[in-house]
Amino acid sequence: MQENNLNHHNCRLLPKRIILVRHGESDGNLDTSAYSTTPDHKISLTEQGRAQARQAGSHLRDLISGHGSCSDWRVYFYVSPYERTLSTLREIGKSFSKKRVIGVREECRIREQDFGNFQVEGRMKVIKETREKFGRFFYRFPEGESAADVFDRVSSFLESLWRDIDLNRLHNDPSHDLNLIIISHGLAARVFLMKWFKWTVKQFELLNNLGNCEIRVMELGHGGEYSLAIHHTDEELLEWGLSPEMIEDQKWRIHSDKASWNDHCSYYLNSFFDHQLDSDEDVTKVDIDSDDDSRKN
């Protein structure tokens, strides 16, 4: 019930779940030459993609309702403005009655990475090979975006999302479990998770893309933190590219609170330093030793 979703540290009423959904199979997924004649935002779903979306809607309803055991729940949708995401929403929406959907918002900041207008197939193949050598996060497509650019706008969207929650702009009844469903694209979903869970660029580079209509369920833990490990198995998380340390962090979040994150995630802090000294006296000793070594040289 919703009473479990109250963060007592700041009396913030939190959604029970935030669910990321990639769009269904599109004409571009089936044949990349489609991008050379059709603008990316107008690429449509295939019949298979529409079927995937309908199946995803049924799966989401069962997940949220506990296969019918929970009655007090509602959903709110955020959707990318691309044709394939809007069509995915229409098909998913067939699994939810009007009383269950408290709202929907088209959100441009969760759109697909901009690859640069029409995409000439042969040229894009060479460009994507270059991206693999350069690094997927920082490589910027000619006339388009890098994953870092997408990260910036998704971060802005997250700030707006928190304001929506804080000010109850979603108009959710406190007696209902609220589920936010974000229908977007593979890269946007990955950088959303990267921003939310404070993953590094190196960790992002290890992540695998979502399949068509594949979902990522972030569920609220007992201490007010969201975790992928409540709904998903270790095997799934490993398959998606999460390291053992990242999976450990997801499990910790089930029972944790934000205040203890730095103390818990020593692996995160250690990744930025060769080693950390225990006291100021140790730092002073290192400085003295360094000075002695300099004199000897």
Side-chain angles (χ1 to χ4, degrees):
M1 294 294 293
Q2 187 69 40
E3 62 183 5
N4 295 326
N5 300 347
L6 184 63
N7 186 329
H8 294 284
H9 294 295
N10 55 14
C11 296
R12 173 187 282 168
L13 196 62
L14 298 173
K16 183 171 184 178
R17 299 179 190 87
I18 300 173
I19 304 174
L20 303 173
V21 185
R22 188 188 174 200
H23 59 80
E25 180 188 75
S26 71
D27 291 333
N29 296 141
L30 203 60
D31 181 5
T32 56
S33 66
Y35 294 111
S36 63
T37 56
T38 305
D40 195 1
H41 65 279
K42 291 184 178 180
I43 294 287
S44 301
L45 292 183
T46 64
E47 284 301 320
Q48 173 68 10
R50 281 185 277 274
Q52 290 171 338
R54 288 192 294 274
Q55 185 176 9
S58 178
H59 174 57
L60 287 168
R61 186 193 63 238
D62 288 343
L63 186 163
I64 291 167
S65 68
H67 296 276
S69 63
C70 174
S71 59
D72 298 325
W73 57 271
R74 297 293 186 270
V75 295
Y76 191 101
F77 291 98
Y78 292 90
V79 61
S80 158
Y82 281 34
E83 176 60 32
R84 55 188 180 274
T85 40
L86 292 169
S87 296
T88 298
L89 172 60
R90 292 187 193 100
E91 299 300 329
I92 286 177
K94 293 175 181 178
S95 292
F96 297 94
S97 63
K98 287 184 178 180
K99 78 170 187 176
R100 298 295 185 186
V101 180
I102 62 173
V104 60
R105 185 179 305 170
E106 183 177 285
E107 177 52 73
C108 287
R109 289 171 292 183
I110 58 172
R111 69 188 184 276
E112 176 64 288
Q113 179 180 10
D114 187 347
F115 295 107
N117 302 321
F118 291 108
Q119 302 171 33
V120 179
E121 191 173 10
R123 179 170 178 258
M124 285 303 294
K125 181 180 179 181
V126 174
I127 287 173
K128 289 184 177 180
E129 289 174 353
T130 305
R131 178 182 63 173
E132 292 302 316
K133 297 176 183 177
F134 189 90
R136 299 178 65 87
F137 189 76
F138 291 112
Y139 181 81
R140 178 175 285 116
F141 283 84
E143 302 175 346
E145 291 181 303
S146 66
D149 295 324
V150 180
F151 180 92
D152 290 342
R153 55 176 165 86
V154 168
S155 297
S156 171
F157 164 66
L158 259 174
E159 293 174 4
S160 300
L161 182 67
W162 278 120
R163 286 195 294 272
D164 289 344
I165 293 169
D166 286 340
L167 302 176
N168 196 22
R169 291 173 177 166
L170 309 181
H171 306 295
N172 181 50
D173 185 329
S175 67
H176 296 150
D177 282 336
L178 176 61
N179 299 268
L180 303 184
I181 301 178
I182 301 171
I183 302 175
S184 185
H185 308 265
L187 180 72
R190 281 178 284 154
V191 297
F192 181 99
L193 294 171
M194 178 189 181
K195 171 64 176 177
W196 189 286
F197 293 121
K198 303 181 177 70
W199 292 340
T200 65
V201 172
K202 185 176 180 180
Q203 289 170 326
F204 168 84
E205 296 278 4
L206 299 174
L207 298 177
N208 297 315
N209 200 12
L210 289 74
N212 292 120
C213 275
E214 193 174 354
I215 68 172
R216 301 286 187 266
V217 180
M218 301 163 52
E219 190 161 332
L220 188 64
H222 302 301
E225 280 281 350
Y226 286 88
S227 173
L228 293 166
I230 296 176
H231 180 77
H232 300 291
T233 66
D234 287 11
E235 289 74 18
E236 286 179 298
L237 299 179
L238 282 169
E239 184 180 343
W240 300 343
L242 275 71
S243 68
E245 292 82 8
M246 294 165 74
I247 295 173
E248 177 193 349
D249 176 56
Q250 292 300 316
K251 291 180 176 179
W252 172 81
R253 289 172 181 271
I254 297 173
H255 304 286
S256 72
D257 60 77
K258 293 182 188 300
S260 59
W261 189 83
N262 278 337
D263 292 333
H264 164 73
C265 292
S266 58
Y267 81 88
Y268 183 86
L269 290 173
N270 291 341
S271 69
F272 293 95
F273 304 99
D274 292 332
H275 64 278
Q276 288 186 290
L277 301 173
D278 294 327
S279 68
D280 289 342
E281 288 76 11
D282 291 334
V283 173
T284 303
K285 184 177 183 301
V286 169
D287 289 340
I288 293 172
D289 291 343
S290 296
D291 288 341
D292 290 341
D293 289 341
S294 297
R295 294 190 190 98
K296 290 176 183 178
N297 294 330

